[in-house]
């Protein structure tokens, strides 16, 4: 019982660390970029600092500390998998961080409720999902909630909203592309190797807009003067990447989504205290609540679809057992069936065991809240 209790505590600790780091990094980025605080209005530069720092640390962990062995990466695999995923990742981070210059943290979190909408339609277009009536109605509910929330925004900014929505679309494309490419190639990356291969490539993609938009304006002295601020910010971003992946491995995609909902409410509340420009209206709350209900229903529908193929096989087993009972066959193995159901019940009851997370281990499309880890 002690070990089970420790496993519960460890799981809750991982989730707590993920929520704190995720909230902290977003607020930290806003503080750095905001003109009323550190006043460093260079989101591409900030994202490149994160990517460069993460790449150096990953290289050190793999080649110096030998924490994990590098995987066999061919040139073809790198060009067909790593490069396109890194490109959309760079776009998502660039657009998402740029939005902090124009709109509030609270409104950004409300707009992020559109992530299931973007992911669903992107998956349908790419052929990885089917257009279903119940999911379509649910997506409509989320969209209505976000529209109401946007209508109630006092400091509504078109440019900031376009940047944020563009970041959401780029993230949706990245997630669907990751699902398609990695499944086809059978490529398995752990958290450290993921950063090792994706971060340098994302850094190179970010160099293109950086040369056109920020290189002529950036002041190197400002970075050197605040070197410890950028170092701690990059360290937090790297820790968030690792904690999010570790939390998913320990719990599952569904639990992470529930934790992300809690994190959003914490962020919205804290942002109104830390940043006076973040003003929440009644329409904001009503619209976001409607969108949040849609997100919860969307998660339920995805979990239901994952478990749907398992139901016929179970019904077939029960029907077969019943037929065997009626025929009174001497060759039936009813005790085995009872044992299986009994073990399933015990595993379902034991929340600390790995089997208790079997329903979450199926790789669902990750939360949008992990999209802006930097």
């Amino acid at each position: 019982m002690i070990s089970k209790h420790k496993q519960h505590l460890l799981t809750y600790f991982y989730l707590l660390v993920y929520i704190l780091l995720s909230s902290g990094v977003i607020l930290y980025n806003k503080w750095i970029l905001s003109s009323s605080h550190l006043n460093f209005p260079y989101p591409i530069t900030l994202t490149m600092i994160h990517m460069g720092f993460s790449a150096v640390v990953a290289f050190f962990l793999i080649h110096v500390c030998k924490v994990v062995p590098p995987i066999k990466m061919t040139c073809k695999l790198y060009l067909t998998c790593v490069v396109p995923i890194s490109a959309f990742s760079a776009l998502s981070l660039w657009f998402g961080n740029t939005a902090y210059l124009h709109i509030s943290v609270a409104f950004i979190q409300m707009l992020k409720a559109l992530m299931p909408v973007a992911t669903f339609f992107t998956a349908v277009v790419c052929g990885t999902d089917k257009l279903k009536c119940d999911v379509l109605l649910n997506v409509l509910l989320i969209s209505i909630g976000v529209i109401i929330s946007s209508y109630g925004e006092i400091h509504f900014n078109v440019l900031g909203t376009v940047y944020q929505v563009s970041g959401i679309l780029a993230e949706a494309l990245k997630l669907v592309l990751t699902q398609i490419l990695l499944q086809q190639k059978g490529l398995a990356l752990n958290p450290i190797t993921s950063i090792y291969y994706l971060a340098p490539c994302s850094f190179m993609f970010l160099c293109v807009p950086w040369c056109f938009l920020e290189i002529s304006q950036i002041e190197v002295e400002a970075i050197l003067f605040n070197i410890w601020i950028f170092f701690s910010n990059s360290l937090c971003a790297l820790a968030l990447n690792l904690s999010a992946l570790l939390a998913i491995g320990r719990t599952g995609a569904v639990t992470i989504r529930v934790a992300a909902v809690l994190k959003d409410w914490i962020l919205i509340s804290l942002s109104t205290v830390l940043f006076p420009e973040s003003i929440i209206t009644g329409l904001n709350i009503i619209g976001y609540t409607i969108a949040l209900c849609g997100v919860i229903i969307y998660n339920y529908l995805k979990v239901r679809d994952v478990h749907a193929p398992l139901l016929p096989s179970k019904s077939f087993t029960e029907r077969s057992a019943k037929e065997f009972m009626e025929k009174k066959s001497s060759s039936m193995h009813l005790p085995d069936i009872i044992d299986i159901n009994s073990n399933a019940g015990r595993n379902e009851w034991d929340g600390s065991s790995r089997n208790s997370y079997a329903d979450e281990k199926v790789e669902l499309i990750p939360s949008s809240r992990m999209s802006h880890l930097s």
Side-chain angles (χ1 to χ4, degrees):
M1 292 297 294
I2 296 177
S3 61
K4 294 177 182 179
H5 182 64
K6 287 183 178 179
Q7 288 179 3
H8 276 299
L9 290 178
L10 188 60
T11 300
Y12 295 142
F13 175 75
Y14 281 153
L15 289 174
L16 179 63
V17 170
Y18 163 72
I19 292 173
L20 292 177
L21 283 174
S22 182
S23 304
V25 168
I26 290 175
L27 294 174
Y28 204 169
N29 287 350
K30 175 65 175 179
W31 181 82
I32 291 175
L33 296 169
S34 176
S35 58
S36 57
H37 294 87
L38 188 62
N39 192 22
F40 186 81
Y42 308 109
I44 304 176
T45 304
L46 181 63
T47 308
M48 289 177 66
I49 292 173
H50 292 169
M51 293 294 101
F53 180 82
S54 299
V56 171
V57 172
F59 180 87
F60 181 81
L61 291 175
I62 291 177
H63 293 285
V64 179
C65 298
K66 307 292 184 181
V67 175
V68 293
I71 65 171
K72 294 182 179 179
M73 179 69 68
T74 63
C75 182
K76 181 180 179 181
L77 194 61
Y78 188 87
L79 292 175
T80 56
C81 287
V82 176
V83 170
I85 293 172
S86 300
F88 285 111
S89 178
L91 287 174
S92 173
L93 294 171
W94 168 25
F95 293 149
N97 282 334
T98 305
Y100 289 117
L101 296 175
H102 306 283
I103 53 180
S104 65
V105 173
F107 187 49
I108 285 175
Q109 297 309 122
M110 295 175 188
L111 289 176
K112 284 181 182 179
L114 286 172
M115 189 63 204
V117 180
T119 305
F120 172 68
F121 283 115
T122 304
V124 170
V125 171
C126 295
T128 60
D129 204 346
K130 296 180 180 179
L131 195 63
K132 300 176 183 177
C133 183
D134 52 356
V135 180
L136 192 61
L137 291 174
N138 177 246
V139 162
L140 180 62
L141 177 65
I142 296 174
S143 303
I144 292 173
V146 173
I147 291 172
I148 295 174
S149 180
S150 302
Y151 184 77
E153 177 65 18
I154 294 178
H155 302 293
F156 182 82
N157 184 283
V158 176
L159 183 60
T161 304
V162 170
Y163 268 119
Q164 184 58 44
V165 173
S166 300
I168 291 172
L169 292 174
E171 179 65 15
L173 285 167
K174 186 198 79 171
L175 295 176
V176 175
L177 193 63
T178 301
Q179 183 183 18
I180 295 173
L181 294 179
L182 295 188
Q183 284 182 356
Q184 287 181 350
K185 306 296 182 180
L187 184 63
L189 299 175
N190 60 53
I192 297 176
T193 53
S194 297
I195 296 173
Y196 175 76
Y197 287 108
L198 295 177
C201 193
S202 296
F203 180 91
M204 296 306 297
F205 276 111
L206 288 168
C207 285
V208 178
W210 181 71
C211 290
F212 288 98
L213 299 176
E214 294 184 4
I215 191 172
S216 59
Q217 305 175 18
I218 193 70
E219 297 178 2
V220 180
E221 293 79 8
I223 300 178
L224 296 177
F225 181 76
N226 300 292
I227 186 67
W228 292 109
I229 292 178
F230 291 107
F231 174 78
S232 60
N233 181 248
S234 300
L235 191 62
C236 290
L238 176 63
L240 174 58
N241 277 294
L242 296 175
S243 69
L245 294 169
L246 287 173
I248 288 180
R250 181 72 186 182
T251 58
V254 178
T255 304
I256 287 294
R257 287 175 174 179
V258 175
V261 170
L262 176 62
K263 181 213 71 177
D264 285 346
W265 282 111
I266 294 174
L267 265 175
I268 291 173
S269 302
L270 286 177
S271 65
T272 57
V273 177
L274 299 176
F275 305 103
E277 65 272 16
S278 296
I279 301 174
I280 301 177
T281 64
L283 278 177
N284 283 145
I285 297 176
I286 293 173
Y288 184 63
T289 303
I290 294 173
L292 194 60
C293 291
V295 172
I296 294 173
I297 297 172
Y298 176 84
N299 291 336
Y300 166 76
L301 293 175
K302 298 303 292 184
V303 173
R304 185 199 64 181
D305 291 343
V306 168
H307 290 303
L310 300 177
L311 296 177
S313 60
K314 182 177 178 182
S315 301
F316 176 78
T317 304
E318 292 176 351
R319 289 197 302 269
S320 299
K322 185 176 180 180
E323 291 174 1
F324 278 130
M325 285 290 292
E326 291 174 352
K327 293 180 180 180
K328 297 182 181 181
S329 172
S330 59
S331 61
M332 76 173 182
H333 298 285
L334 185 59
D336 293 340
I337 298 174
I338 296 174
D339 287 341
I340 291 173
N341 292 332
S342 178
N343 290 334
R346 285 195 296 269
N347 291 336
E348 205 172 299
W349 176 261
D350 182 11
S352 63
S353 66
R354 291 182 65 86
N355 291 335
S356 64
Y357 304 112
D359 60 329
E360 299 180 356
K361 286 298 181 182
V362 181
E363 183 58 31
L364 302 178
I365 297 177
S367 171
S368 65
R369 281 79 184 174
M370 292 173 59
S371 62
H372 300 285
L373 300 182
S374 299

